Amino acid sequence: MRRISILLSIKYSKENNTELSNLKKELEKQYRKMKNKEKYFEQIKSQKDKIQKRIDEIKETLDDDKRIKREYTKRNRNLPLEKKIFSIRILFKILLDEKKDLTSDLEKLIESEKEENYEIELRQLEEQLRYLRLVDVNNKEELITDLIIIMQKIFLQGMNGKINQVKSKEELIDLIYQYRYYCMIPFTYNKLMYEVEELKEDINSVGKFLIEKSAALKLLSSFSKNSDLNYEILKNIYTTRIISLEELNIKITKEKEKYYVQLFDDNIFDEKIEIEFNRKIIKKDFSAKLNKKIRLFV
């Protein structure tokens, strides 16, 4: 998901592209610095020493009235009127806050020195850079499409899991509607989700599983004892213009050795759709009567 977000951000905003490119450069610099482990820990030690020295100086100033007065005079000497420190009490507070911030910085450096934390930070940098290097990818459109397809496949796997756990007709009806709406989501400006070639196998697998589960729960009418043929007939419920499936009727007809399925309710008649199958269909393949209006839901 993060990869897609970055690619879309780059695609639609030059400003984002520049920001991410700059961030990538900064993180690459940090990563190179950390990869030289010995030098990296030397730099941390140097930072710690400097911070500790400053903390000690602040402590000494806070504990010595003469020193804090000198500090007060020194700081105010070159400050414009609007920025002057107007009392030693205020300076005391400023120094306490500074000491607190420095102590926090020191604690972070001490933590970063620990071997396990060093490894974690290095892995996090590697992960961030793995995504940010997408800034340099040339075929962004193609990569975005590939990643979206991967996400859809994961989603459809999850839906299969949900179908497998269904126990009631109400739950199954809800999933049928969800799947139906999913099929009709636009993938591009001129292609719906169920029309995407790379997803057809996965989408059909989920659709067929829903029909099979419906048969097990005696939810939908059956039109053939052959599960593949039954799916070829019933899969049209996922793409019909008719909104309420509860009001849906199905009729199978024969014309010139070809069989057709038609969906309709009281107001809408869908076009007749030829039933395509992997072999020649004969009348005996159907368990439902031809030319008869049959309700979808049992």
Side-chain angles (χ1 to χ4, degrees):
M1 186 68 183
R2 190 185 301 174
R3 294 178 76 187
I4 292 177
S5 298
I6 289 172
L7 284 166
L8 290 174
S9 177
I10 294 166
K11 177 183 174 182
Y12 292 112
S13 172
K14 289 184 179 180
E15 185 178 335
N16 286 340
N17 194 353
T18 303
E19 287 178 5
L20 290 170
S21 182
N22 291 336
L23 176 60
K24 180 175 75 75
K25 288 175 184 176
E26 289 175 18
L27 292 182
E28 283 175 338
K29 184 178 178 181
Q30 174 68 6
Y31 182 71
R32 286 194 297 270
K33 186 169 72 174
M34 287 189 70
K35 282 295 283 183
N36 189 337
K37 193 173 179 180
E38 185 177 343
K39 188 175 179 181
Y40 176 70
F41 281 113
E42 285 176 3
Q43 289 173 338
I44 288 178
K45 185 179 182 306
S46 176
Q47 287 177 281
K48 280 170 52 187
D49 290 343
K50 287 178 182 177
I51 290 172
Q52 187 60 62
K53 182 180 179 182
R54 179 57 188 152
I55 289 173
D56 292 340
E57 289 173 353
I58 291 173
K59 282 181 180 178
E60 290 173 3
T61 301
L62 291 172
D63 291 339
D64 188 322
D65 289 342
K66 290 182 179 179
R67 288 189 64 157
I68 199 167
K69 286 177 182 178
R70 284 199 299 270
E71 182 71 18
Y72 174 73
T73 303
K74 179 182 173 183
R75 291 198 181 201
N76 275 332
R77 185 177 297 131
N78 298 316
L79 287 175
L81 182 62
E82 67 273 11
K83 291 186 178 181
K84 286 189 183 294
I85 302 168
F86 290 106
S87 70
I88 290 177
R89 182 174 58 83
I90 293 174
L91 175 60
F92 198 89
K93 172 77 167 53
I94 291 170
L95 290 171
L96 282 175
D97 290 341
E98 185 181 345
K99 177 174 167 287
K100 183 180 177 181
D101 291 341
L102 288 167
T103 302
S104 175
D105 292 342
L106 184 62
E107 289 170 354
K108 288 175 185 176
L109 287 170
I110 291 169
E111 285 298 310
S112 66
E113 271 187 316
K114 294 178 180 177
E115 186 69 27
E116 62 271 24
N117 291 334
Y118 167 79
E119 295 295 338
I120 290 170
E121 188 176 351
L122 196 63
R123 283 198 301 271
Q124 287 175 342
L125 269 175
E126 289 170 347
E127 182 74 2
Q128 287 176 297
L129 285 168
R130 187 162 69 89
Y131 289 113
L132 287 171
R133 286 185 181 123
L134 293 169
V135 172
D136 301 324
V137 170
N138 292 323
N139 57 336
K140 293 181 178 65
E141 289 280 357
E142 184 179 332
L143 186 54
I144 288 170
T145 301
D146 289 344
L147 290 171
I148 290 174
I149 285 171
I150 290 169
M151 284 182 63
Q152 301 318 305
K153 287 177 177 287
I154 293 169
F155 170 80
L156 290 164
Q157 287 173 6
M159 182 162 271
N160 259 331
K162 281 186 175 182
I163 297 166
N164 193 46
Q165 294 173 358
V166 163
K167 303 295 182 186
S168 71
K169 290 182 179 181
E170 290 75 17
E171 288 178 289
L172 191 56
I173 290 170
D174 186 50
L175 281 176
I176 288 172
Y177 272 103
Q178 286 181 36
Y179 172 77
R180 182 186 179 207
Y181 294 143
Y182 173 80
C183 287
M184 304 304 286
I185 292 172
F187 184 80
T188 61
Y189 293 115
N190 56 2
K191 188 179 290 185
L192 300 175
M193 199 68 76
Y194 80 96
E195 296 172 319
V196 179
E197 195 61 40
E198 296 90 337
L199 292 174
K200 280 185 178 179
E201 185 178 341
D202 303 83
I203 285 175
N204 285 332
S205 174
V206 174
K208 190 174 182 182
F209 193 16
L210 279 167
I211 300 298
E212 290 171 352
K213 194 75 173 183
S214 298
L217 292 178
K218 295 180 171 52
L219 175 66
L220 303 181
S221 296
S222 178
F223 294 83
S224 175
K225 290 181 180 178
N226 183 308
S227 62
D228 291 331
L229 180 56
N230 194 51
Y231 172 64
E232 289 302 317
I233 296 165
L234 287 173
K235 71 179 183 181
N236 296 290
I237 69 173
Y238 301 132
T239 54
T240 178
R241 294 174 300 150
I242 298 165
I243 295 172
S244 176
L245 297 179
E246 287 83 353
E247 304 301 320
L248 193 65
N249 296 287
I250 296 177
K251 182 166 67 174
I252 297 172
T253 58
K254 182 182 179 183
E255 296 177 20
K256 297 179 181 179
E257 302 304 315
K258 291 183 178 181
Y259 290 90
Y260 296 85
V261 59
Q262 187 173 28
L263 281 63
F264 56 94
D265 63 7
D266 294 336
N267 302 306
I268 299 174
F269 280 76
D270 276 352
E271 293 180 13
K272 288 186 292 185
I273 302 168
E274 184 181 348
I275 302 170
E276 297 180 353
F277 200 45
N278 55 16
R279 61 167 173 78
K280 184 178 179 180
I281 303 170
I282 59 175
K283 187 177 178 181
K284 288 183 179 180
D285 287 323
F286 299 103
S287 57
K289 289 184 179 180
L290 302 185
N291 301 307
K292 182 181 178 182
K293 180 176 75 172
I294 297 171
R295 298 284 283 189
L296 173 63
F297 284 96
V298 175

